[in-house]
Amino acid sequence: MGMDKKRIVITGASRGIGLEMARILISQGHTVYGAVRNPEGATDLQEAGPAGILQLDISDQDSITAFGENLGNTTDALDILVNNAGIPMRRMPEQLSEDDIDLVFAINVRSLLTLSIGLAPSMKKRGGGSIINVSSVAGVRGPGARVAYAGTKGAVDAMTRALASDWGPDNIRVNSISPGLISTAIREESRETIPGLIEDMEGQIALKRCSDEKGAEPLWEAALRAGDKPVMQVRGTWLLGRFSGVAVNNYQGTSLDITVRQSKD
């Protein structure tokens, strides 16, 4: 990837997209801190060899505050924050309770914002940094039976643009990536618990299948390039992945043109 070695925090790093991103970055020599709800159960992450595994329950504001303090005791500087942790919410509108709505917005929206606010000062002190928010194509496409989840991802995209404007003068770049359908552990659990759901979603893709975590690597690698000052000067960018890969065509100024292509494999 050609990036200078960075100190990176990844939330939700114990499985799925977060775990695969951690593996890739560790293998490239970056210093990675994984933020997970249950550190003792993060055996796959531990095997990858992170610099540290810190406890973080993003549904709990006290846990977010404690995480910031623990991180400050672990490292004196932070280059990149990857806000990856989140939860799905599959309900028809009339099936949603107030608790359902509060939960998905607390985890997918509020925690992302409060964690970013909490860690931004350390970036400002050292002259800048990068925040990468993992969103979803659901925030754009409006898939059925996911109005609450789609709403949270639309909020993530809006906050990305707003934070980029607020913190750009401090040399903090804020970008988001929106993966398409990826075969994570949560997705495969849904295949068993909600018959026909994943098959229906795969049927809406040209290749009639989803990607695995490794197949989506070009998407978040492009996002991490957006977080590397010498490589790309962008902020408020939205990287959208519909199929199995992405190609970055142009990244000059503060714009980033993305062409999504189908994988031939």
Side-chain angles (χ1 to χ4, degrees), residues 187-200:
R187 187 76 64 189
E188 291 309 305
E189 289 170 6
S190 298
R191 193 185 296 274
E192 299 296 326
T193 59
I194 312 177
L197 173 66
I198 302 303
E199 289 77 7
D200 178 66

Side-chain angles (χ1 to χ4, degrees), residues 87-104 142-151 190 193-194 197 201:
I87 62 169
M89 179 64 70
R90 299 180 183 91
R91 303 276 196 284
M92 290 295 291
E94 59 272 19
Q95 296 173 327
L96 286 167
S97 67
E98 289 188 10
D99 288 343
D100 290 334
I101 297 170
D102 289 343
L103 176 64
V104 71
R146 285 183 289 283
V147 61
Y149 177 76
S190 298
T193 59
I194 312 177
L197 173 66
M201 296 173 71

Side-chain angles (χ1 to χ4, degrees), residues 128-251:
S130 173
I131 297 174
I132 300 169
N133 299 322
V134 178
S135 185
S136 169
V137 295
V140 180
R141 295 183 58 239
R146 285 183 289 283
V147 61
Y149 177 76
T152 66
K153 294 307 181 178
V156 167
D157 295 333
M159 290 193 305
T160 295
R161 293 187 289 270
L163 289 175
S165 296
D166 290 334
W167 289 338
D170 297 301
N171 199 32
I172 296 177
R173 296 165 305 286
V174 188
N175 299 280
S176 70
I177 61 175
S178 295
L181 188 62
I182 296 177
S183 180
T184 62
I186 293 178
R187 187 76 64 189
E188 291 309 305
E189 289 170 6
S190 298
R191 193 185 296 274
E192 299 296 326
T193 59
I194 312 177
L197 173 66
I198 302 303
E199 289 77 7
D200 178 66
M201 296 173 71
E202 290 175 342
Q204 300 175 40
I205 299 174
L207 295 178
K208 308 304 180 185
R209 61 176 173 80
C210 60
S211 172
D212 60 14
E213 294 98 330
K214 295 182 184 298
E217 180 178 345
L219 186 62
W220 51 70
E221 188 161 300
L224 288 170
R225 283 183 177 272
D228 194 29
K229 179 180 177 182
V231 177
M232 193 183 291
Q233 294 281 356
V234 296
R235 59 189 180 91
T237 300
W238 170 52
L239 280 70
L240 175 66
R242 178 66 176 86
F243 299 106
S244 298
V246 299
V248 180
N249 286 340
N250 175 48
Y251 45 88

Side-chain angles (χ1 to χ4, degrees), residues 3-107:
M3 283 174 56
D4 294 336
K5 297 302 180 270
K6 304 292 184 180
R7 286 155 292 194
I8 304 170
V9 166
I10 303 174
T11 68
S14 62
R15 62 177 181 171
I17 291 175
L19 175 60
E20 188 61 27
M21 185 184 292
R23 285 171 171 162
I24 293 168
L25 294 172
I26 292 169
S27 71
Q28 294 173 346
H30 299 285
T31 301
V32 175
Y33 299 93
V36 303
R37 187 172 185 176
N38 178 20
E40 294 182 358
T43 54
D44 289 339
L45 177 59
Q46 186 63 55
E47 291 175 359
I53 299 179
L54 303 177
Q55 198 277 333
L56 173 62
D57 181 354
I58 59 174
S59 66
D60 185 343
Q61 185 58 48
D62 290 338
S63 178
I64 294 175
T65 301
F67 171 79
E69 295 174 353
N70 292 336
L71 182 65
N73 294 329
T74 303
T75 179
D76 60 355
L78 175 65
D79 297 303
I80 299 175
L81 166 64
V82 181
N83 284 310
N84 166 71
I87 62 169
M89 179 64 70
R90 299 180 183 91
R91 303 276 196 284
M92 290 295 291
E94 59 272 19
Q95 296 173 327
L96 286 167
S97 67
E98 289 188 10
D99 288 343
D100 290 334
I101 297 170
D102 289 343
L103 176 64
V104 71
F105 272 85
I107 291 179

